[in-house]
Amino acid sequence: MTLGSFRLLLLGAPGAGKGTITRKLRDVVPSLNSISSGDLLRREIQAETKLGSIASKYIDKGRLIPDELIISLVSNHISTLSQKGMGAQWLLDGFPRTLHQATALHDILEPRNQCLTHVVELVVPEEAILGRIETRYVHVPSGRVYNLSYNPPKVPGRDDVTGEPLEKRSDDNEETVKRRLKAYNEMAQPLRDFYGSRGLLHTASGDTSDIIFPKVLEALKK
Ligand code: AMP
């Protein structure tokens, strides 16, 4: 299937399947560049940088990193990518999460003629999310996500591509997830309003990523 050029923001609660949808999109668009703010932060933590040590204190409590820190991390990453050429299709996951971040992102992208073309919110019932997060594992360097119930690694505990160990995210426990879900529900409406008023917002809902993914593809054709 061919898709035109798109610059996509994926919105969705923690555990809504943003990482899985990204992987499925990459199967369709192998040159897809994806930027996940959570993955960038986890790499900073793994590399034991100063930013990583600040970030981990917020992440472990399920709280948002201060806007200025995350804006500068993502904007540096976008600058590095755009020097190499961002490609015709790319996506953002996990950023922006606040209105301030959304306007900062707009100010970064507009001068590059790279404003977002689509915003798709993944909508998954909360019971489905709580069930899947308990069995979720991640390969930190790549951001690849596994689930022991429906998408297990080929070798238990190891990444399929590199064979490196998988990790359980420190914030994937019920208490922190509930706090993150609450935070998502509070932050989502201003973003829906911001992107809805610009005619960019689409919704893709369902219990599983297999149900949601075709809806994401449909949205990208609009
Ligand atoms: P995620 O992998 O998107 O679920 O992000 C994991 C955690 O990283 C979040 O719970 C926040 O603590 C932090 N984080 C990721 N992206 C952002 C953002 N755009 N603004 C603030 N904090 C963020």
Side-chain angles (χ1 to χ4, degrees):
M1 186 224 288
T2 51
L3 287 170
S5 67
F6 62 80
R7 298 183 288 278
L8 167 68
L9 165 63
L10 278 181
L11 291 179
K18 299 183 292 293
T20 304
I21 295 296
T22 301
R23 180 171 52 76
K24 286 174 179 283
L25 269 176
R26 194 168 295 115
D27 291 341
V28 178
V29 183
S31 61
L32 182 74
N33 260 314
S34 60
I35 303 169
S36 151
S37 52
D39 286 350
L40 293 179
L41 289 165
R42 283 183 285 280
R43 273 177 232 155
E44 294 285 324
I45 293 169
Q46 198 172 56
E48 298 185 353
T49 65
K50 187 155 178 268
L51 171 60
S53 94
I54 299 171
S56 67
K57 297 192 177 79
Y58 290 89
I59 292 178
D60 287 349
K61 295 194 188 103
R63 306 211 183 284
L64 292 187
I65 311 296
D67 278 347
E68 298 317 324
L69 288 182
I70 193 80
I71 289 168
S72 91
L73 177 70
V74 176
S75 86
N76 286 341
H77 193 74
I78 289 178
S79 299
T80 313
L81 270 183
S82 71
Q83 276 157 18
K84 294 187 211 152
M86 294 265 281
Q89 291 108 336
W90 51 260
L91 76 78
L92 281 171
D93 150 6
F95 179 92
R97 267 178 159 90
T98 64
L99 209 47
H100 181 197
Q101 293 177 17
T103 51
L105 175 68
H106 181 77
D107 293 344
I108 295 164
L109 297 178
E110 195 182 30
R112 298 183 151 93
N113 272 328
Q114 292 273 310
C115 286
L116 296 172
T117 58
H118 297 77
V119 177
V120 180
E121 183 173 17
L122 313 181
V123 180
V124 179
E126 206 160 299
E127 316 82 78
I129 287 180
L130 289 171
R132 68 170 72 155
I133 272 184
E134 274 182 33
T135 46
R136 168 161 90 168
Y137 283 78
V138 62
H139 176 242
V140 171
S142 68
R144 275 184 287 278
V145 188
Y146 297 86
N147 193 290
L148 298 189
S149 316
Y150 52 85
N151 174 33
K154 291 184 185 126
V155 177
R158 299 271 161 188
D159 176 47
D160 287 354
V161 178
T162 63
E164 290 167 350
L166 302 178
E167 286 177 30
K168 184 113 192 82
R169 284 174 46 166
S170 58
D171 55 348
D172 273 356
N173 57 74
E174 195 176 331
E175 189 195 332
T176 312
V177 169
K178 285 195 168 147
R179 193 173 305 137
R180 286 159 58 207
L181 284 172
K182 187 164 173 275
Y184 178 77
N185 291 329
E186 284 164 10
M187 69 106 214
Q189 196 53 45
L191 292 181
R192 285 184 200 117
D193 294 344
F194 183 82
Y195 291 115
S197 69
R198 286 163 173 76
L200 299 178
L201 186 64
H202 307 264
T203 300
S205 47
D207 273 14
T208 68
S209 297
D210 285 343
I211 295 171
I212 288 180
F213 183 59
K215 299 182 182 176
V216 174
L217 291 180
E218 274 314 304
L220 286 175
K221 289 187 206 150
K222 288 182 186 152

